[in-house]
Amino acid sequence: MLDVHHLRRDFPILTKKIKGRPLIYFDNAATTQKPQKVIDALSFFYQNHNANIHRGIHALAEEATEDYENARKKVARFIGAKSEKEVIFVRNTTEALNLVAYTWGRLNIARGDEIMTTVMEHHSNFLPWRQLAFENGAVLKVLDVDEEGKLPEGHSLKNQVSRKTKLLALTQASNVLGTINPIREISSLIHNSNLKPLLVVDGAQAIPHLPIDTAELGADLYAFSAHKMFGPLGIGILWGKEEVLESLPPFLFGGGMIKSVTLENVGFADLPDRLEAGTPAVADAVGLGAAVDYLSEIGMAEIKSYEERLTGLLLAELKRIPEVKVFGPDNTGQRVPAVSFTVGGIHPHDVAQFLNDKYGVAVRAGQHCAGPLHERLGINATVRTSLAFYNTEEEVETFIKGIKELIGLFKS
Amino acid sequence: MDLYSENFFDHGKFPRNRGRLEHATHIGEEINTSCGDKITVQMKDDQAKIKEIKYEVDGCLVTVASASILSEKLIGKKAEEVLQMTPEDLVKMLGVELTPSRTKCALLPLLAIKKAIKNPR
Ligand SMILES: Cc1ncc(COP(=O)(O)O)c(C=O)c1O
């Protein structure tokens, strides 16, 4: 069993006080906190190995290159990639998805084709496809969710995918509803019907909470951000099947992505360099490597089962408060710990402000970059509480106390 | 003073002068793009002085309290004077501490009032 009080000591920021009260950090879906090992890895790199990679023959350049490529290997192992060539360093999930839209998309989407996505997507897995459809004259189809915040299953899903569907972009876990979409089932369902849309999966909210095995998942491409999985800000990953990545034309042009250049001819580098133009965020890659080491040490299965219990407590407590309306699935096995809700007629900003001011609780209020989903739910904004494995039952209880006091204050 | 101080919170919970104004001479509307909160202000003026303010608002405590307080404190002020008001002037008038993001909420009614001043019917 995961020893939460022991693990909390790995995160220096968790001892911070907010207006005299201990910080309760419940905004993990926005970004997670960083363990000391990640912070140390960043400063170790800058203190000992800092150099540009792939281009020097001096000792530091070799060390930096080795660090960078080692980080790639660690990530590849963490997500079950078949080789490290399948792991492309980018800035974040948003850049990974845009890379696909600008390369594969501009090349393969023709007038009259269909691009399919879902109403629960984060803007970064919606707008690149909307723009691509607009520019290439394709049709954007958007899968709806049911009352529990789940996508259609079986036939009703299959019936909406056709030969015209060239790309299906969906999230593995919703950042608002928490819903986990069954990527493997969706992938087999589609492929068993001999349909072949490119399956692009947004893993940003899944990777901090679930064991991920890309070899098993059934996706063609998978995107995620280090900062949401206890790693540094500013670096992310695009994973892709090797044959899919091989088929992508270069995205950005410049240094590091070529074999040779003359005035007449350009030879592009092999994967993964071909898709990584310019000096990469080497230290941040190293930090991400430290984050996946840290997560592997705890074990993603351990994290998942601890979080399921904690989410169960949070949901049960919230549902006992009559003024609170919770969105997303009830079953903790079918959701990640991002729980969005409204509190009577109290404005979500006022809820977040009160929890911060009086209880030191950090939650997010607004649309969480999911405008179409809020429109679908028929509400302007929600409050979102999103947990991580370092959160505790006591924190959940304090948060619930805060919600009750808030209701008393606003309703009296 | 924080947001939950008696006077400010009271204005947020029981806003004064909410509603529509018959025979308004000026109308202004503003939307907070970060949260979708919206306010419409109707005013009457009398020789370039604000005589009456009413507003319809769908917003958070800070926006509503700010609208309510402004609808009282700006009465009798010269339109010119109100157009000159800065965010700092507003925060001083409201008498609460606001973070930068909540200052935006408080500003919404003032922006709508300024728009109304420039928008006679
Ligand atoms: C589901 C989902 N997709 C994509 C993103 C975008 O991540 P980033 O801002 O790191 O590119 C987020 C983060 O907010 C998210 O929650």
Side-chain angles (χ1 to χ4, degrees):
Chain A
M1 244 266 293
L2 177 156
D3 181 351
V4 62
H5 293 285
H6 185 76
L7 289 176
R8 284 178 70 81
R9 285 186 233 136
D10 298 335
F11 292 80
I13 210 169
L14 296 180
T15 58
K16 192 178 163 91
K17 297 264 192 300
I18 304 295
K19 298 184 191 252
R21 290 181 189 77
L23 164 70
I24 297 181
Y25 188 73
F26 279 0
D27 194 17
N28 292 288
T31 197
T32 52
Q33 298 304 340
K34 321 304 174 200
Q36 189 63 51
K37 281 186 178 164
V38 168
I39 301 167
D40 288 346
L42 291 172
S43 45
F44 185 88
F45 176 82
Y46 283 122
Q47 283 169 7
N48 298 283
H49 294 169
N50 180 53
N52 209 327
I53 56 162
H54 294 327
R55 38 194 97 168
I57 42 167
H58 57 78
L60 287 184
E62 305 237 349
E63 284 166 351
T65 304
E66 195 181 325
D67 284 356
Y68 184 66
E69 293 306 328
N70 256 335
R72 194 192 306 276
K73 285 188 189 127
K74 288 179 183 184
V75 173
R77 225 176 298 130
F78 186 68
I79 59 172
K82 289 201 181 119
S83 95
E84 60 260 26
K85 280 194 218 161
E86 296 185 337
V87 174
I88 310 296
F89 284 115
V90 292
R91 269 193 313 146
N92 47 36
T93 309
T94 305
E95 186 173 278
L97 295 165
N98 274 277
L99 188 158
V100 179
Y102 275 96
T103 57
W104 192 93
R106 298 297 186 279
L107 201 62
N108 290 285
I109 297 292
R111 184 163 295 281
D113 284 347
E114 283 176 11
I115 299 173
M116 184 169 280
T117 181
T118 86
V119 76
M120 70 168 81
E121 299 309 314
H122 186 282
H123 293 161
S124 68
N125 199 26
F126 177 73
L127 295 177
W129 313 121
R130 188 178 181 276
Q131 184 63 21
L132 172 62
F134 173 75
E135 285 177 25
N136 287 24
V139 178
L140 185 70
K141 286 183 96 180
V142 180
L143 292 170
D144 196 14
V145 291
D146 64 15
E147 284 314 301
E148 234 202 315
K150 292 199 215 154
L151 292 179
E153 292 170 31
H155 273 297
S156 49
L157 174 66
K158 210 170 66 185
N159 288 343
Q160 301 196 48
V161 186
S162 76
R163 304 221 165 274
K164 284 191 190 163
T165 316
K166 292 287 155 60
L167 185 144
L168 171 56
L170 84 168
T171 192
Q172 190 176 7
S174 158
N175 67 320
V176 177
L177 301 165
T179 315
I180 298 173
N181 293 316
I183 303 299
R184 230 169 90 89
E185 280 89 277
I186 292 173
S187 164
S188 343
L189 191 75
I190 291 169
H191 293 135
N192 291 344
S193 341
N194 267 326
L195 298 166
K196 297 198 174 55
L198 187 78
L199 186 54
V200 181
V201 175
D202 173 353
Q205 293 297 341
I207 198 134
H209 306 294
L210 309 172
I212 301 298
D213 183 354
T214 50
E216 289 278 297
L217 193 64
D220 292 308
L221 295 153
Y222 191 82
F224 56 96
S225 299
H227 72 93
K228 293 186 197 285
M229 54 186 295
F230 317 97
L233 292 157
I235 191 155
I237 300 290
L238 173 65
W239 168 87
K241 285 183 182 155
E242 196 173 331
E243 67 269 24
V244 175
L245 290 178
E246 285 292 359
S247 77
L248 303 186
F251 174 40
L252 300 174
F253 295 80
M257 49 81 71
I258 46 90
K259 275 191 181 132
S260 64
V261 183
T262 63
L263 275 182
E264 299 277 297
N265 292 303
V266 179
F268 295 120
D270 296 328
L271 287 176
D273 298 349
R274 187 160 55 84
L275 292 169
E276 292 182 4
T279 301
V282 183
D284 300 322
V286 172
L288 172 57
V292 304
D293 280 347
Y294 180 78
L295 289 172
S296 304
E297 237 170 80
I298 304 172
M300 291 311 293
E302 285 287 310
I303 288 176
K304 179 168 182 282
S305 77
Y306 176 80
E307 288 181 349
E308 272 181 24
R309 264 197 306 122
L310 199 60
T311 310
L313 175 71
L314 173 65
L315 286 172
E317 291 284 349
L318 278 176
K319 289 188 175 198
R320 286 229 297 267
I321 307 173
E323 288 85 352
V324 170
K325 180 169 165 45
V326 179
F327 299 92
D330 280 329
N331 183 339
T332 54
Q334 293 177 348
R335 55 143 59 243
V336 294
V339 178
S340 298
F341 58 95
T342 52
V343 189
I346 307 174
H347 196 289
H349 279 184
D350 295 331
V351 178
Q353 184 88 57
F354 179 85
L355 290 171
N356 178 76
D357 293 354
K358 300 291 180 187
Y359 284 84
V361 177
V363 295
R364 186 158 165 196
Q367 298 195 337
H368 325 298
C369 300
L373 178 63
H374 280 77
E375 185 185 27
R376 168 66 181 84
L377 298 173
I379 43 175
N380 204 358
T382 50
V383 184
R384 180 182 71 190
T385 296
S386 53
L387 310 175
F389 64 81
Y390 46 58
N391 291 127
T392 67
E393 289 184 7
E394 298 85 67
E395 287 181 322
V396 171
E397 300 293 356
T398 305
F399 159 80
I400 292 292
K401 215 172 115 202
I403 294 282
K404 288 179 178 162
E405 188 187 323
L406 162 89
I407 293 169
L409 183 69
F410 275 75
K411 289 282 151 91
S412 62
Chain B
M1 295 273 253
D2 74 6
L3 295 182
Y4 315 99
S5 70
E6 226 162 87
N7 182 52
F8 189 82
F9 196 71
D10 196 65
H11 272 281
K13 261 170 74 172
F14 308 107
R16 334 287 198 258
N17 302 314
R18 202 169 186 164
R20 294 177 71 88
L21 196 57
E22 301 253 324
H23 314 297
T25 56
H26 295 69
I27 292 186
E29 182 180 295
E30 271 293 335
I31 292 179
N32 184 339
T33 47
S34 79
C35 60
D37 284 359
K38 189 173 140 180
I39 183 162
T40 313
V41 170
Q42 287 135 3
M43 301 193 325
K44 270 189 207 167
D45 77 355
D46 187 13
Q47 290 160 354
K49 277 193 183 160
I50 296 175
K51 209 173 146 205
E52 209 175 344
I53 298 177
K54 282 206 175 228
Y55 54 91
E56 290 168 295
V57 62
D58 180 7
C60 63
L61 180 84
V62 177
T63 300
V64 174
S66 166
S68 175
I69 293 171
L70 287 172
S71 76
E72 292 186 344
K73 294 216 169 169
L74 297 186
I75 303 305
K77 290 237 190 296
K78 287 200 191 103
E80 270 312 306
E81 226 180 299
V82 175
L83 287 178
Q84 305 286 331
M85 272 181 75
T86 63
E88 294 73 39
D89 297 335
L90 173 70
V91 171
K92 210 182 277 171
M93 182 176 277
L94 298 178
V96 283
E97 278 168 38
L98 292 172
T99 58
S101 67
R102 295 324 286 279
T103 304
K104 278 193 199 144
C105 307
L107 267 174
L108 200 69
L110 181 63
L111 294 176
I113 289 167
K114 288 186 180 182
K115 247 191 191 167
I117 290 173
K118 294 183 198 154
N119 182 29
R121 301 188 79 187

